[in-house]
Amino acid sequence: IKKHPFCKMMSSVQLAISVVPATSSPSWSKEAFASLQNADIACFGTTSDVISYLQKLDNDHFNVAEDISDEDRRKLPNKPDLVGDILGTATEGGVVFMAACPNVEAARECLNSGRWTNNHIYYPKETQGVVQLKTEPLEGQDGGEGEGSGE
């Protein structure tokens, strides 16, 4: 990922990568949840990953009622906010992170969810092929669990 053009523009930024499965387990582990809270960008592999992530966030973290209106669901944040949750001060859409999508369809799902604004979603142009980021440990790092590895 260090060699990706986006990362080259951000020369003084250190990237840490954590893989948080959106679909595999019934709920997120404490480690996965902590990774989400500290994340700035969510990288989705498919449109169904976006849908699964939001369903898991709504069901496991926000405990959203099944009969919530689409309008109210669109006002929910796209990221958990532990501090706001503990203090009871979590606000609508107050805690956000960017979405990186491999194609227009996944980006459209993020936008249509109402959880991201169009300037917080990154995706390739329709004429461009699918973007695939592959990561490798940075020089001088051991590539510890969850950092510097994954896709």
Side-chain angles (χ1 to χ4, degrees):
I1 196 165
K2 180 176 159 183
K3 297 175 185 174
H4 190 274
F6 177 77
C7 298
K8 287 181 182 178
M9 295 184 313
M10 303 176 69
S11 59
S12 65
V13 175
Q14 180 71 30
L15 297 175
I17 297 173
S18 297
V19 176
V20 177
T23 58
S24 63
S25 63
S27 62
W28 287 312
S29 68
K30 290 179 182 179
E31 294 81 15
F33 194 73
S35 292
L36 284 172
Q37 291 172 317
N38 294 316
D40 294 316
I41 302 172
C43 299
F44 296 106
T46 65
T47 301
S48 60
D49 288 345
V50 175
I51 294 166
S52 295
Y53 168 77
L54 291 173
Q55 287 174 344
K56 191 172 273 199
L57 183 65
D58 291 352
N59 297 334
D60 293 353
H61 181 65
F62 295 127
N63 297 317
V64 174
E66 288 185 32
D67 62 347
I68 188 173
S69 71
D70 286 342
E71 182 180 334
D72 287 340
R73 186 178 301 276
R74 294 173 60 83
K75 293 177 184 176
L76 294 170
N78 64 17
K79 175 182 178 179
D81 176 16
L82 181 60
V83 174
D85 293 342
I86 291 171
L87 299 176
T89 60
T91 58
E92 292 180 354
V95 178
V96 297
F97 55 15
M98 309 283 188
C101 301
N103 54 44
V104 174
E105 290 78 21
R108 189 173 296 123
E109 187 64 40
C110 288
L111 185 61
N112 289 342
S113 75
R115 309 284 184 96
W116 286 271
T117 59
N118 60 352
N119 60 334
H120 287 147
I121 304 169
Y122 298 93
Y123 60 95
K125 296 177 183 176
E126 286 190 43
T127 58
Q128 189 176 357
V130 171
V131 173
Q132 184 177 21
L133 296 179
K134 294 197 181 259
T135 61
E136 57 191 52
L138 298 175
E139 290 181 28
Q141 291 188 352
D142 63 2
E145 185 178 322
E147 292 189 18
S149 63
E151 284 188 31

